């Protein structure tokens, strides 16, 4: 029985395994192992002992195995390091239940045998050696047979390294038995108050509604206690119907960084091009326009380095590049993207940054006034000064999909509606209770996001567009009638506010089809006038039928902005499963929808199987010997409909990518953009960008 978190980076899995002592004995027990009943518990990611009660399952006298870098320390330092790493609750449980405790540094052991990052076999060997499920000689023999069968195609050297690795795993030099001190029985929660990770994200919240959601829902789920949340809490947080609180990922601070490295900015080598910001998959590296006074007031001025901002529109302002140390995955993409020589970015140890106030510096930067409106957001540099309304997703380190979504929200996010096909983009974009889609602090607007199924996403998005189209036509008709009635009115005492509103209605009717933020800005001017005419108790008198019609108009106020409908998904949806619906939606010129396909050239979310987007010769699941057919040229297919805007983009040409997305949004009719999105499962660089 398995419990798992679908996040692509720093996700967790709990495997509940039961074994019978005899082939003739049938197991009769719950699939899920209850607390205090497990003979063996292993934790293969040491960060989990900071977040979860990983030993709650273990029985008295059971065995606990922890994969941790602490095993590489000198014996005199290990106990103190373990006490600093693990919560008092875990320490107390280990001592009171008289648990046999073993630690091993699987990562360094695998690296020693030339198998960097491959800890699976080390941890599997530890399982068989400590659990007693099989005689250890039989288990090692079976594992070696499995290794030979699985890795022979990679060469004899790989097989040999794995065999040698198995043989040394039981060496006391690597498999270390910890003698649990009696003082652990008295470990108290008072120690926990000083631990940096405890409730850290709750302290950052300044919105009461968000705070309640995080405390009632997100925090218990993050502690693996989601099953204990009563239904009443979901209702209290207005979640009926699947509604989610926006922007909750910025409070998680999961530290999903396997490399423990984050970028360091070299201001003297930087030309402020913002290309590094554009490629960041998790929106953790951002440029800020600040004043000299703000830079001087930073909590750690030596970490808040600023230089003169380039550009006439930024005269008198300073430029700084800041990184969130608790959200960066260490993928190195920003360093790779930097066009300068020498690079303006280099990787450094995240612990050094945190010890020098990196967390406080980031929090200070993101709470400074937003100044993206000082620059043209439809340029590459200017777009990256806009606050991303998709941030800190649960995507893999170095993900090729998320930068496109992030850029869409920077360009159109405040007037954007997204229908998202099931796949990677819905997993990193909507894994409960995390929501990376957020709203602007300044305007309180952001993208509306929803997911239906895998196969019907085009129809789902078309339904959104169709409803929006009819509602906007109704709003237009109501405005035309209201303006006409106001112009015919013989009431010389028409309030000044109503005259102003009628004038704005005229202006809106003239530009209502303009694909920009102009309609949104007009509505911002209308809001106080609506408030006065409909709700202000100080206003004298009524204006009859027009008052009723104005109330109708106000009820459709969400249709004043010129909304941008996007239908997004991966190649498995667009090229294969959802192609029929996609073709039908794109075939009609009146369907003013935008389609973005993030093409990973495989079914990334389900493990890397071939799709029709997989190129000929590529070795993927279901085509290990090389795909026989050529890649489906979906762009050329849609070009046969002459009314569709078609583009193919890639992050390597950022200016073209930006221009294509802008042109797609402004096109009157359906658009289709294919975005090449490299996936780690392609294994072009097996260790990611850090190889």
């Amino acid at each position: 029985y398995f419990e798992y978190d679908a996040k692509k980076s720093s996700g967790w899995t709990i495997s509940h395994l039961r074994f019978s002592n005899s082939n003739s004995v049938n197991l009769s027990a719950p699939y899920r192992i209850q607390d205090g009943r497990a003979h063996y518990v292993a934790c293969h990611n040491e960060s989990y002992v900071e977040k979860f009660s990983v030993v709650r399952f273990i029985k008295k006298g059971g065995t606990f195995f922890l994969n941790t870098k602490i095993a590489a320390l000198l014996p005199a330092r290990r106990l103190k390091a373990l006490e600093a790493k693990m919560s008092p609750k875990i320490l107390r449980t280990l001592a009171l239940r008289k648990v046999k405790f073993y630690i091993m540094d699987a990562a360094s052991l695998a690296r020693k045998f030339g198998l960097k990052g491959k800890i699976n076999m080390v941890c599997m060997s530890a399982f068989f050696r400590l659990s007693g499920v099989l005689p250890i000689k039989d288990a090692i023999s079976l594992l070696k047979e499995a290794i030979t069968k699985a890795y022979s195609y990679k060469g004899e050297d790989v097989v040999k390294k794995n065999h040698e690795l198995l043989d040394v795993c039981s060496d006391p030099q690597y498999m270390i038995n910890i003698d649990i001190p009696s003082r652990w029985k008295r470990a108290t929660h008072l120690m926990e108050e000083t631990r940096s990770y405890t409730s850290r994200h709750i302290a950052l919240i300044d919105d009461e509604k968000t705070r309640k959601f995080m405390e009632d829902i997100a925090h218990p789920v993050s502690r693996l206690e989601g099953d204990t949340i009563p239904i009443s809490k979901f209702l209290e947080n207005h979640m009926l119907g699947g509604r989610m609180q926006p922007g909750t990922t910025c409070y998680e601070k999961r530290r999903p960084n396997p490399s423990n490295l984050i970028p360091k900015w070299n201001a003297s080598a930087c030309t402020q091009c913002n290309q590094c910001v554009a490629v960041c998959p998790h929106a953790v590296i951002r440029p800020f326009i600040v004043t000299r006074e703000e830079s001087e007031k930073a909590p750690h001025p030596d970490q808040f380095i600023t230089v003169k901002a380039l550009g006439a529109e930024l005269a008198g302002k300073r430029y700084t590049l800041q990184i969130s140390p608790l959200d960066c995955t260490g993928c190195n993409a920003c360093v790779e993207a930097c066009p300068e020589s020498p690079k303006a970015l280099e990787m450094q140890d995240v612990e050094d940054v945190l010890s020098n106030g990196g967390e406080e510096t980031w929090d200070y930067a993101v709470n400074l006034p937003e100044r993206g409106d000082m620059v043209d957001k439809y340029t590459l540099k200017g777009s990256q000064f806009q606050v991303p309304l998709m941030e800190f997703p649960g995507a893999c380190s170095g993900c090729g999909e998320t930068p496109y979504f992030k850029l869409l929200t920077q360009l159109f996010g405040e007037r954007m509606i997204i229908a998202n096909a099931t796949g990677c983009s819905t997993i990193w974009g909507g894994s409960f209770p995390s929501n990376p889609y957020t709203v602007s602090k300044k305007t309180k607007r952001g993208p509306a996001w929803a997911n239906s199924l895998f196969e019907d996403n085009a129809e789902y998005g078309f339904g959104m567009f169709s409803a929006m189209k009819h509602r906007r036509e109704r709003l237009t008709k109501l405005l035309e009638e209201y303006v006409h009635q106001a112009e015919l009115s013989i009431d010389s005492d028409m309030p000044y506010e109503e005259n102003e509103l009628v004038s704005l209605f005229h202006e809106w009717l003239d530009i209502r089809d303009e694909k920009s933020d102009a309609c949104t800005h007009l509505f911002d001017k209308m809001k106080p006038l609506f408030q006065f005419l409909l709700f202000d108790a100080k206003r004298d008198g009524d204006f009859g039928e027009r008052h009723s019609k104005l109330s109708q108009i106000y009820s459709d106020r969400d249709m004043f902005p010129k909304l941008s409908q996007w239908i997004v998904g991966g190649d498995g949806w667009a090229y294969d499963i959802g192609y029929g619906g996609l073709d039908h939606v794109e075939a009609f010129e009146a369907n003013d929808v935008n389609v973005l396909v993030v093409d990973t050239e495989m079914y990334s979310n389900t493990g890397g199987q071939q799709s029709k987007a997989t190129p000929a010769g590529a070795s993927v699941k279901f085509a290990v010997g090389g795909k026989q057919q050529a890649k489906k040229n979906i762009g050329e297919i849609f070009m046969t409909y002459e009314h569709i805007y078609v583009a193919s983009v890639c992050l390597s040409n950022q200016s073209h990518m930006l221009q294509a997305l802008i042109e797609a949004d402004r096109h009157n009719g359906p658009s289709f953009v294919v975005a090449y999105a490299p996936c780690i499962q392609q294994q072009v660089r097996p260790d990611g960008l850090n190889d």
Side-chain angles (χ1 to χ4, degrees):
Y1 175 78
F2 298 90
E3 299 174 89
Y4 72 97
D5 173 6
K7 288 184 175 65
K8 303 289 182 177
S9 58
S10 194
W12 52 265
T13 300
I14 303 176
S15 306
H16 297 256
L17 307 174
R18 293 184 184 273
F19 297 87
S20 171
N21 291 326
S22 170
N23 290 333
S24 61
V25 176
N26 292 323
L27 288 171
S28 179
Y31 282 101
R32 188 182 189 278
I33 297 174
Q34 298 94 331
D35 290 1
R37 301 297 296 274
H39 293 78
Y40 176 87
V41 172
C43 178
H44 296 165
N45 186 326
E46 65 179 329
S47 69
Y48 294 165
V49 297
E50 299 181 3
K51 307 173 185 177
F52 313 134
S53 181
V54 294
V55 295
R56 73 177 190 271
F57 298 104
I58 204 162
K59 68 180 297 182
K60 191 171 184 179
T63 300
F64 177 55
F65 170 78
L66 175 64
N67 170 35
T68 173
K69 291 184 292 185
I70 293 173
L73 298 178
L74 294 173
R77 297 175 56 194
R78 284 180 194 143
L79 273 183
K80 188 174 181 180
L82 286 169
E83 290 171 352
K85 187 74 175 175
M86 299 191 294
S87 73
K89 186 176 181 181
I90 292 178
L91 298 176
R92 210 164 47 248
T93 301
L94 293 174
L96 294 175
R97 296 185 185 178
K98 299 179 180 178
V99 172
K100 295 184 282 291
F101 184 20
Y102 295 85
I103 63 173
M104 176 186 283
D105 187 358
S108 66
L109 187 57
R111 189 164 52 248
K112 184 177 180 180
F113 283 82
L115 299 169
K116 181 182 176 183
K118 311 297 182 183
I119 68 167
N120 180 57
M121 202 54 64
V122 181
C123 295
M124 200 179 298
S125 172
F127 166 71
F128 283 113
R129 292 181 188 280
L130 299 176
S131 68
V133 168
L134 284 176
I136 188 59
K137 288 185 178 180
D138 294 348
I140 296 299
S141 176
L142 290 169
L143 283 174
K144 287 184 176 180
E145 287 179 19
I147 288 169
T148 303
K149 182 178 179 181
Y151 302 131
S152 289
Y153 76 97
K154 291 191 174 183
E156 185 179 338
D157 184 53
V158 173
V159 173
K160 183 181 177 182
K161 286 177 179 177
N162 275 278
H163 284 185
E164 291 174 348
L165 182 59
L166 280 179
D167 291 333
V168 303
C169 284
S170 59
D171 190 327
Q173 177 185 350
Y174 303 113
M175 179 81 74
I176 301 167
N177 185 4
I178 298 296
D179 187 14
I180 296 176
S182 60
R183 67 174 179 271
W184 285 10
K185 295 179 182 179
R186 299 182 295 277
T188 66
H189 288 288
L190 293 176
M191 296 165 58
E192 206 155 7
E193 292 177 3
T194 63
R195 303 177 67 84
S196 61
Y197 66 84
T198 306
S199 300
R200 176 178 53 228
H201 55 286
I202 299 295
L204 300 174
I205 304 173
D206 56 7
D207 175 70
E208 188 55 40
K209 185 178 178 183
T210 304
R211 179 186 293 274
K212 180 173 175 56
F213 174 84
M214 294 300 294
E215 290 179 338
D216 292 352
I217 308 295
H219 202 39
V221 172
S222 71
R223 297 195 306 265
L224 307 189
E225 298 170 2
D227 292 342
T228 66
I229 302 173
I231 297 296
S232 59
K233 292 295 183 183
F234 291 93
L235 298 177
E236 288 174 13
N237 283 275
H238 311 289
M239 299 182 68
L240 192 64
R243 279 176 284 186
M244 277 288 294
Q245 187 71 19
T248 54
T249 51
C250 72
Y251 304 113
E252 289 185 313
K253 308 301 178 191
R254 297 180 296 117
R255 295 191 66 178
N257 191 338
S259 71
N260 284 316
L261 299 172
I262 68 170
K264 178 182 180 181
W265 182 44
N266 178 7
S268 61
C270 182
T271 58
Q272 304 178 24
C273 67
N274 287 350
Q275 291 186 43
C276 58
V277 184
V279 302
C280 180
H282 292 79
V284 301
I285 179 169
R286 301 186 193 177
F288 295 91
I289 303 168
V290 301
T291 64
R292 187 177 294 277
E293 293 74 20
E294 288 168 344
S295 64
E296 292 171 352
K297 290 179 180 178
H300 303 276
D302 56 323
Q303 299 297 311
F304 199 83
I305 300 169
T306 65
V307 294
K308 179 183 177 182
L310 301 179
E313 69 274 27
L314 299 179
K317 295 293 188 291
R318 308 287 292 174
Y319 175 96
T320 184
L321 200 63
Q322 295 295 329
I323 296 94
S324 174
L326 296 176
D327 296 294
C328 179
T329 64
C331 71
N332 205 44
C334 54
V335 178
E336 294 266 336
C338 179
E340 310 307 328
S341 181
K343 299 278 190 181
L345 292 166
E346 61 180 352
M347 302 303 281
Q348 63 177 332
D349 193 305
V350 65
E351 297 299 336
D352 293 340
V353 178
L354 289 170
S355 62
N356 288 310
E359 183 182 355
E360 293 83 1
T361 299
W362 171 261
D363 291 341
Y364 176 76
V366 294
N367 284 296
L368 290 173
E370 296 177 13
R371 296 189 173 97
D373 55 359
M374 295 181 67
V375 295
D376 179 6
K377 74 174 181 179
Y378 295 118
T379 64
L380 178 61
K381 178 179 177 179
S383 68
Q384 297 313 300
F385 282 117
Q386 313 307 311
V387 176
L389 301 182
M390 193 286 292
E391 58 182 7
F392 317 129
C396 296
S397 179
C399 177
E401 293 185 352
T402 49
Y404 297 108
F405 286 75
K406 181 183 71 171
L407 180 58
L408 282 180
T409 68
Q410 289 171 303
L411 295 173
F412 321 117
E414 294 190 23
R415 56 183 183 89
M416 186 180 186
I417 298 177
I418 304 171
N420 202 152
T422 298
C424 271
S425 52
T426 57
I427 303 307
W428 57 251
S431 287
F432 184 85
S434 304
N435 186 357
Y437 293 96
T438 186
V439 298
S440 165
K441 289 183 179 179
K442 183 183 289 187
T443 66
K444 305 302 181 185
R445 296 192 183 98
W449 180 95
N451 158 244
S452 174
L453 299 170
F454 190 17
E455 63 272 19
D456 72 344
N457 189 55
E459 298 92 322
Y460 187 49
F462 171 69
M464 294 178 182
F465 164 75
S466 183
M468 181 174 64
K469 178 183 176 182
H470 289 295
R471 289 188 63 211
R472 212 158 190 264
E473 288 173 350
R474 181 177 66 190
L475 176 63
T476 300
K477 184 179 179 181
L478 287 169
L479 284 178
E480 289 173 339
E481 291 175 354
Y482 186 89
V483 168
H484 181 66
Q485 288 177 4
E487 289 174 344
L488 293 177
S489 174
I490 59 173
D491 184 4
S492 59
D493 295 327
M494 182 184 291
Y496 165 79
E497 290 79 7
E498 188 177 6
N499 272 316
E500 283 292 301
L501 191 58
V502 170
S503 176
L504 292 172
F505 285 171
H506 270 295
E507 193 174 345
W508 184 88
L509 289 168
D510 289 339
I511 67 164
R512 65 182 182 274
D513 293 325
E514 182 181 314
K515 295 188 172 183
S516 70
D517 296 327
C519 290
T520 306
H521 295 153
L522 273 180
F523 176 65
D524 287 339
K525 295 178 181 178
M526 296 177 191
K527 281 194 292 187
L529 302 175
F530 274 119
Q531 184 68 30
F532 176 81
L533 293 169
L534 293 176
F535 308 110
D536 197 326
K538 296 178 181 178
R539 184 185 58 80
D540 295 326
D542 197 351
F543 42 103
E545 185 182 346
R546 296 201 310 280
H547 186 280
S548 175
K549 196 170 292 293
L550 194 62
S551 296
Q552 287 180 275
I553 291 170
Y554 188 74
S555 67
D556 276 339
R557 61 191 177 278
D558 56 325
M559 291 294 106
F560 274 106
K562 179 58 178 175
L563 300 176
S564 183
Q565 177 67 57
W566 286 82
I567 301 172
V568 301
D571 53 280
W573 159 69
Y575 285 69
D576 293 4
I577 306 299
Y579 175 72
L582 179 59
D583 176 76
H584 189 73
V585 171
E586 294 278 272
F588 295 92
E589 189 172 1
N591 297 340
D592 192 6
V593 298
N594 308 294
V595 174
L596 174 69
V597 179
V598 278
D599 182 8
T600 64
E601 299 189 327
M602 62 174 69
Y603 283 84
S604 295
N605 189 51
T606 53
Q609 296 84 5
Q610 70 164 334
S611 74
K612 292 188 182 72
T614 306
S619 177
V620 294
K621 291 180 182 176
F622 301 160
V624 176
K627 184 166 176 272
Q628 299 297 308
Q629 299 82 16
K631 177 170 181 163
K632 177 179 180 179
N633 199 328
I634 197 169
E636 284 191 4
I637 292 172
F638 281 120
M639 284 169 66
T640 61
Y641 296 111
E642 295 183 357
H643 59 268
I644 301 177
Y645 174 89
V646 179
S648 177
V649 301
C650 180
L651 277 167
S652 63
N653 191 337
Q654 295 182 11
S655 295
H656 173 254
M657 169 186 68
L658 178 81
Q659 192 61 32
L661 294 176
I662 294 170
E663 289 176 356
D665 176 69
R666 291 177 179 172
H667 175 66
N668 288 316
S671 69
F672 184 81
V673 180
V674 181
Y676 178 57
C679 178
I680 194 172
Q681 291 187 89
Q682 293 173 344
Q683 295 192 350
V684 175
R685 297 173 73 166
D687 294 320
L689 296 175
N690 280 312
D691 63 356

